[in-house]
Amino acid sequence: MIIEIENLQKSFKDVKAVDGVSFKVKEGELFAFLGMNGAGKSTTINIISGVLQKDGGKVMVCGHDLDKDTNKIKNELGIVFQNSVLDKKLSVYDNLKSRANLYGIFGADFKSRLDEMCGLLDLKDILKRPISKLSGGQKRRIDIARALFHNPKLLILDEPTTGLDPKTRITVWNVVEKLRKERGLTVFLTTHYMEEAATADYVVILDGGKKAAEGTPHELKNQYASDYIRFYNRLEQAEKAVAAFNLHVKCQRDYLEVELKNTAQVADIFKKSPEIFEDFEVLKGNMDNVFLKVTGKDLSEV
């Protein structure tokens, strides 16, 4: 395991930001850490990275105990925070050089690593530009280059694609997947985009500082998400036909949506009323449904 956390606790006065959270992250996996703002995600990340002191619990990262080897852990981490930590007055080149110097990367080693980052994140044409003159997507690419410059074992991405255009989001994920495949990089992700969480190897959902659910996306969808069928014609007839099955029905302007207990019920409804199936679709439950069911909140509204 690259991260092992047991009974982690952190309070701010009377507020328990993290309340007895435990989880493990396997080496090389994409781990998604989900929750509304204030759920405890950023507090947990700040503790893992040594920015905050915990009140209780045990934290092991890359085989090192946080209480004993904080500096060793920091050398194994790369972090992309929600808000950029780049120096806006400096150029892209100077920001990356400053970061490299902190890790003892100089001379030929710096040039070699810089060339690699330029190829990976398409930075060559903007190296001389000050951070203040870059677009949001360009800044995010520099944030990622900065986090990766010392070749960490663990990359923490705290809502890395929020507010980015689709092209930059694709670029970010292409880089992440390339490094995971080629180097076995472990990625610890927080995100408000459930389609990103759906690609994770494992998911932990926080709610009010506590762990509310965990599992693979497939396990979570099977446990918490319902499948749906939508009818696009004969809506009144369809509503009457499904009433006998005691299912939750939502009537919209141009379709009728029926929440299924299982997909096998589609066959049961068809056997009884095949005439309502002229125009329909079956929708699988997704991670948005999981999050809403687990927390009672809609993460897409954040």
Side-chain angles (χ1 to χ4, degrees):
M1 295 293 173
I2 200 163
I3 298 178
E4 296 179 78
I5 291 181
E6 297 178 10
N7 194 31
L8 183 63
Q9 299 180 45
K10 179 66 180 179
S11 296
F12 298 98
K13 295 185 178 179
D14 295 331
V15 178
K16 290 186 177 181
V18 181
D19 189 7
V21 171
S22 301
F23 61 86
K24 296 179 180 180
V25 180
K26 292 182 179 179
E27 188 171 356
E29 76 178 357
L30 172 58
F31 178 94
F33 201 48
L34 307 180
M36 301 291 287
N37 292 336
K41 306 187 307 298
S42 293
T43 300
T44 302
I45 288 174
N46 286 334
I47 291 171
I48 292 172
S49 59
V51 175
L52 279 177
Q53 284 192 329
K54 59 184 173 61
D55 294 336
K58 185 176 181 179
V59 177
M60 298 287 295
V61 182
C62 299
H64 303 299
D65 189 328
L66 181 66
D67 292 330
K68 302 174 182 177
D69 300 312
T70 303
N71 288 334
K72 289 182 180 179
I73 289 174
K74 288 181 178 179
N75 287 333
E76 303 285 11
L77 294 182
I79 306 177
V80 178
F81 293 101
Q82 290 183 36
N83 299 314
S84 178
V85 294
L86 301 172
D87 190 323
K88 296 179 181 179
K89 295 181 180 180
L90 296 181
S91 67
V92 171
Y93 178 90
D94 288 337
N95 266 276
L96 295 179
K97 187 175 182 180
S98 175
R99 177 68 171 180
N101 290 347
L102 289 175
Y103 287 90
I105 304 172
F106 304 99
D109 290 338
F110 169 72
K111 185 179 184 306
S112 174
R113 195 72 180 132
L114 181 63
D115 288 343
E116 186 177 354
M117 289 296 103
C118 286
L120 195 63
L121 288 155
D122 191 22
L123 307 179
K124 186 175 181 180
D125 293 339
I126 60 173
L127 282 178
K128 295 182 180 179
R129 296 176 62 182
I131 297 298
S132 60
K133 300 296 183 181
L134 300 181
S135 68
Q138 289 170 327
K139 289 177 184 176
R140 185 51 87 203
R141 280 153 48 203
I142 307 305
D143 280 320
I144 293 171
R146 178 184 179 278
L148 291 172
F149 215 91
H150 62 295
N151 200 22
K153 290 182 180 179
L154 172 64
L155 178 63
I156 296 177
L157 299 174
D158 194 4
E159 298 180 26
T161 58
T162 299
L164 297 185
D165 60 274
K167 182 179 179 181
T168 304
R169 285 180 65 189
I170 291 171
T171 298
V172 168
W173 281 110
N174 284 344
V175 169
V176 168
E177 288 306 308
K178 177 180 174 67
L179 293 174
R180 287 186 65 216
K181 182 178 180 180
E182 295 180 357
R183 302 184 188 178
L185 179 70
T186 305
V187 179
F188 185 107
L189 169 73
T190 76
T191 181
H192 287 157
Y193 296 111
M194 289 296 98
E195 66 269 27
E196 294 179 347
T199 66
D201 297 300
Y202 202 78
V203 177
V204 166
I205 299 175
L206 291 187
D207 189 28
K210 294 179 179 290
K211 184 171 65 178
E214 67 178 315
T216 67
H218 180 70
E219 289 169 343
L220 290 172
K221 284 186 282 188
N222 280 345
Q223 184 173 356
Y224 295 105
S226 300
D227 295 336
Y228 298 84
I229 184 169
R230 283 182 181 174
F231 296 100
Y232 293 97
N233 64 355
R234 302 194 180 189
L235 302 188
E236 291 185 9
Q237 190 175 354
E239 186 174 7
K240 292 179 181 178
V242 300
F245 293 88
N246 195 29
L247 299 173
H248 182 266
V249 176
K250 183 166 64 175
C251 299
Q252 300 293 344
R253 181 184 295 269
D254 58 352
Y255 67 85
L256 182 80
E257 183 176 271
V258 182
E259 183 177 348
L260 302 168
K261 294 176 181 176
N262 56 69
T263 49
Q265 286 189 308
V266 175
D268 296 333
I269 297 171
F270 181 82
K271 289 177 182 177
K272 181 181 179 182
S273 306
E275 68 279 1
I276 66 175
F277 281 80
E278 289 181 5
D279 189 4
F280 74 99
E281 63 178 333
V282 177
L283 306 172
K284 295 291 291 180
N286 56 35
M287 288 301 296
D288 291 282
N289 303 138
V290 170
F291 192 88
L292 183 60
K293 194 70 169 285
V294 169
T295 68
K297 302 158 189 171
D298 189 347
L299 194 57
S300 65
E301 294 179 356
V302 176

